[in-house]
């Protein structure tokens, strides 16, 4: 019994003060009625301010588009420059290697099929390899075209 009377939640005088009369409660507003009147509406924005904001937004959009085009051009230029440089080095190394392979193949085939037939076999093999390399280079050039496209969202990889 002693415990019940000393428990503050069960006592007749709670420790929580009653709400102040000016404090809003959920009971103050019901079905659209506002006891303190209608809220103030902000003044309308002048048309010249709206037009100025639209022009500023369009200007910022145009500047962003130009920056995007410039960045895409720089990216394509960077890619072309390094692809060309490394392609030249690879082509020179490949040329020397192909010469060595061609002379070696001719020397190996000459005793078996004759010098003319050996030369023709090596030339045809090298032309076939060149055709395959040209086809692959054409497919890789699509990456450069992609950098210059205006619509990057609806592009296909086979163009």
């Amino acid at each position: 019994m002693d415990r019940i009377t000393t428990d503050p939640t069960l006592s007749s005088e709670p420790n929580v003060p009653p709400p102040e009369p000016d404090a809003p409660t959920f009971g103050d507003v019901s079905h659209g009625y506002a006891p303190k009147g209608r809220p103030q509406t902000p003044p309308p924005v002048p048309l010249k301010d709206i037009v100025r904001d639209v022009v500023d937004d369009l200007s910022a959009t145009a500047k962003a588009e130009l920056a995007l085009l410039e960045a895409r051009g720089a990216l394509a230029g960077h890619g072309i420059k390094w692809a060309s440089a490394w392609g030249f080095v690879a082509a020179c190394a490949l040329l020397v290697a192909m010469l060595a392979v061609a002379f070696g193949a001719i020397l190996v085939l000459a005793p078996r099929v004759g010098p003319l037939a050996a030369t023709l076999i090596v030339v045809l093999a090298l032309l076939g390899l060149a055709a395959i390399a040209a086809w692959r280079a054409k497919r890789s050039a699509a990456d450069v075209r992609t950098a210059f496209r205006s619509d990057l969202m609806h592009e296909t990889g086979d163009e």
Side-chain angles (χ1 to χ4, degrees):
M1 196 74 161
D2 218 11
R3 192 181 72 144
I4 295 175
T5 57
T6 59
D7 191 358
T9 59
L10 299 177
S11 68
S12 62
E13 295 180 9
N15 292 339
V16 178
E20 296 179 17
D22 290 338
T25 61
F26 289 117
D28 290 342
V29 179
S30 174
H31 301 292
Y33 171 71
K36 295 186 174 144
R38 297 189 132 228
Q40 280 189 334
T41 58
V45 179
L47 182 60
K48 68 178 183 173
D49 291 344
I50 294 172
V51 170
R52 185 187 67 237
D53 289 344
V54 169
V55 169
D56 289 344
D57 289 345
L58 288 175
S59 174
T61 301
K63 287 177 184 174
E65 286 292 329
L66 289 175
L68 175 64
L69 288 174
E70 183 179 327
R72 288 171 66 187
L75 176 64
H78 183 266
I80 290 171
K81 176 180 77 173
W82 284 106
S84 300
W86 287 113
F88 178 75
V89 170
C92 289
L94 183 63
L95 176 66
V96 172
M98 293 303 286
L99 283 173
V101 168
F103 287 129
I106 291 172
L107 290 174
V108 168
L109 289 174
R112 299 186 198 292
V113 294
L116 181 62
T119 303
L120 290 175
I121 290 170
V122 170
V123 167
L124 290 176
L126 291 176
L127 286 175
L129 181 63
I132 291 170
W135 171 70
R136 292 294 300 171
K138 182 181 176 190
R139 287 191 60 196
S140 296
D143 294 340
V144 175
R145 283 195 309 259
T146 299
F148 291 111
R149 286 202 177 137
S150 61
D151 185 13
L152 293 175
M153 298 301 293
H154 298 96
E155 63 187 13
T156 60
D158 296 331
E159 290 182 348

